Structures are given as C-alpha cells and as structure tokens.
Amino acid sequence: MPSPAGTLITVAPTGAELSKAGFPQLPTTLEELVETAVSCEAAGASMIHLHLRDASHQPTLDQGFLRAAVQALREQTSLVVQLSTGGSVHDPLEQRLTVLDAKPDSCSLTCGTTNFGADVFLNPYGFMSDLYRQAQEREVVPEFELFDLGHVASLARLLDAHGLPYGGKVHVDFVTGVPGGMPGTPAALLAAVAMLPTEVTSWSATGIGRAHLPIAAAALASGGHLRVGMEDNIVFARGVPVTHNRELVARAAHLAEVMQRPALSTEEARTLLGVKDRGHRRS
Ligand code: KMH
Ligand code: ZN
C-alpha cells in the first residue's frame, strides 16, 4: 500500500462508556454533537464516528436519535458520517443491525468478539456477515474495526466470502489498548498492519487512554490515518483533561502537518473511503 499524501482524521467524540455526570464536557445532546462536529471539522477532522445518547444521556440505538443526528450533521457539516454499530456492550445484536436504517455514509463493523474490560463486546461471525451483506445492499461503506490480530484474519475471511464493500475501498481502523484487545503499542500495531489482506486500501489507528499519542505517532510514521476523540481518550496531557474534542483533533492535525501528511479535506476523505453521495453541506 503506497504511503498516503494526506491524513484522514476521524473524531469519535462520545462513545458509549463514559457518563455525562462523571464527564460533563462529553457531547451527548444533538446540539452539543453538532457544535462539536462543526468545530472539529474546522480543526481538521473529515469523518465523525457517532454513538448517540438519549434524553438521559444514556447510550441509545433508537432510530429517532440516529436519524436526527445523521440529518443534522449532513445539513451543518460536510463530514463523512459514520454510525457505530457496536453500540454499547449491552445492545442486542438484532438492534445493532438496525443502525443501517438511518442511512449513514459509513458504519463501523467490528471483526470479532473481544473482552472489553469486565464486559464482552460480542461480534460473532454470523453477525459480522449479516451486517456486512446488509451494508453492501444499502450502499453503506463499512469501517472494519480491528481490536486484535484475530480480527485481521476474520476480516480476510469476510472479504473472501462476500467480496468488496460498496464503493470498492476497504478501510480499517485499529482500536488498540482496550483491556482485552491488542496492546496499544507500536509493535502490536505494526504486527497487525503487516497481516492486513491485500484488499485493504487504507487504515487508521487509535490508542485508548495513554496509548493515544504513541499509536498516533506510529500510525503517521507508517502510512496510517488517525482516529481521536473522547470515546478513546479523555486526558490531553499528564494532569490535563480534554475539555473539548477539538483539542484532540487540532493536535492530530498539527502532528499530521509536521509529518508532511496534512489533514485531508472532507471531499478527499469521501474519495478515499468511496462513500456514496447522499447530499451534505458543501464546504
Ligand atoms: N462501545 C464499544 C462496546 C464501535 O463503535 O463499533 C464498541 C465500539 C465499537 O465502540
Ligand atoms: Zn465506537
């Protein structure tokens, strides 16, 4: 895979694990999500990975919340809108499939079950397969989330069985440093990159918690793209909490600039990922 000239920066602003009460700066309302998205786009993000929260700030896969967020972000940003199909560890598989009904540009698709702290993040092969085929039919581009080396092998199995995604591009994101998944070390990341099937056209990486910066640096140095955001990391520097997702995006964009791989525009990101044009704000 040739080293890319620019860097796709994905912001994952919320996730399903942190509580609003414990971390009030977490964007959970639609208004906060839109403000975050606009601000992160200006700072260099070109894709947003979204988990929705309900009126009580609890994780939800309710179609009303999903559709409202997709529509608002399309109207007010030109970001590629990716909905999480991982949800929270408590969401049933059947309901996770319904995320596609909200017609996002992209959806996450985790390539295997993983221990997730004290919980289990369930992704049996049959579920992966159903989600993948439904994403193909609905012309939604999956981002394959790889938490472990075994997930790379399962991705290869999926591609062998069902062919390429809508758009013909294969983008993966390594989620490293989850307690139960691959460690958030450059050595583990590069071992996984070396195993990627040849169909993969781009990859990004994120490190949970203190793995955040080493993984970002290793990814940039190795031809990878970046995912940052409060879903993955709430500490900006030792003793300094993240107060807004824009801080993480701006630092990632600065690192990418220094590495001579500046942040991609949203149009460049759309081309990289092969997403369908569903109408979005033109910047
Ligand atoms: N919240 C995790 C259980 C995804 O978005 O697809 C799953 C997750 C992955 O965050
Ligand atoms: Zn997620």
Side-chain angles (χ1 to χ4, degrees):
M1 203 184 312
S3 191
T7 303
L8 170 78
I9 300 177
T10 300
V11 62
T14 308
E17 282 73 39
L18 284 176
S19 80
K20 181 79 165 176
F23 203 68
Q25 60 269 58
L26 191 73
T28 52
T29 67
L30 185 56
E31 196 180 21
E32 289 168 343
L33 278 177
V34 169
E35 185 279 327
T36 294
V38 168
S39 175
C40 288
E41 180 177 356
S46 48
M47 177 150 74
I48 188 163
H49 168 86
L50 275 180
H51 291 252
L52 277 302
R53 299 292 179 99
D54 65 16
S56 310
H57 311 286
Q58 298 304 311
T60 181
L61 294 180
D62 178 272
Q63 274 296 313
F65 285 93
L66 295 173
R67 286 172 195 249
V70 170
Q71 183 183 345
L73 292 181
R74 285 215 178 106
E75 284 171 4
Q76 299 190 53
T77 78
S78 55
L79 294 169
V80 177
V81 179
Q82 178 183 97
L83 288 180
S84 166
T85 64
S88 89
V89 290
H90 308 293
D91 289 322
L93 297 177
E94 270 312 310
Q95 200 185 2
R96 286 168 52 194
L97 286 176
T98 67
V99 166
L100 296 178
D101 296 343
K103 300 188 173 61
D105 303 319
S106 171
C107 67
S108 60
L109 193 166
T110 298
C111 289
T113 295
T114 192
N115 283 320
F116 198 84
D119 296 304
V120 174
F121 177 30
L122 197 62
N123 295 285
Y125 184 75
F127 169 74
M128 288 169 50
S129 224
D130 289 348
L131 177 56
Y132 188 42
R133 281 187 289 108
Q134 291 186 24
Q136 284 173 318
E137 283 163 20
R138 290 153 180 250
E139 303 183 331
V140 175
V141 173
E143 173 182 274
F144 300 98
E145 308 289 347
L146 308 176
F147 288 60
D148 222 330
L149 275 183
H151 293 193
V152 186
S154 294
L155 166 64
R157 182 180 171 199
L158 201 61
L159 294 171
D160 284 348
H162 303 299
L164 293 176
Y166 171 80
K169 305 288 174 58
V170 181
H171 177 69
V172 313
D173 178 54
F174 293 102
V175 183
T176 72
V178 168
M182 71 171 96
T185 61
L189 175 66
L190 295 180
V193 169
M195 282 178 54
L196 285 174
T198 54
E199 292 93 335
V200 172
T201 50
S202 59
W203 62 272
S204 62
T206 185
I208 304 298
R210 67 184 57 191
H212 187 76
L213 275 173
I215 288 297
L220 279 173
S222 315
H225 300 274
L226 303 179
R227 176 174 122 170
V228 298
M230 291 185 194
E231 174 168 346
D232 302 335
N233 174 37
I234 54 170
V235 178
F236 189 78
R238 198 183 298 266
V240 183
V242 177
T243 63
H244 193 287
N245 279 283
R246 137 180 27 90
E247 297 159 1
L248 295 168
V249 173
R251 180 167 64 183
H254 176 65
L255 283 174
E257 184 84 35
V258 169
M259 293 296 284
Q260 304 287 294
R261 288 187 42 212
L264 291 182
S265 70
T266 52
E267 288 310 314
E268 289 169 329
R270 285 172 192 282
T271 304
L272 177 85
L273 299 168
V275 297
K276 182 182 168 100
D277 187 350
R278 289 182 159 88
H280 56 273
R281 196 180 67 85
R282 307 285 161 172
S283 45

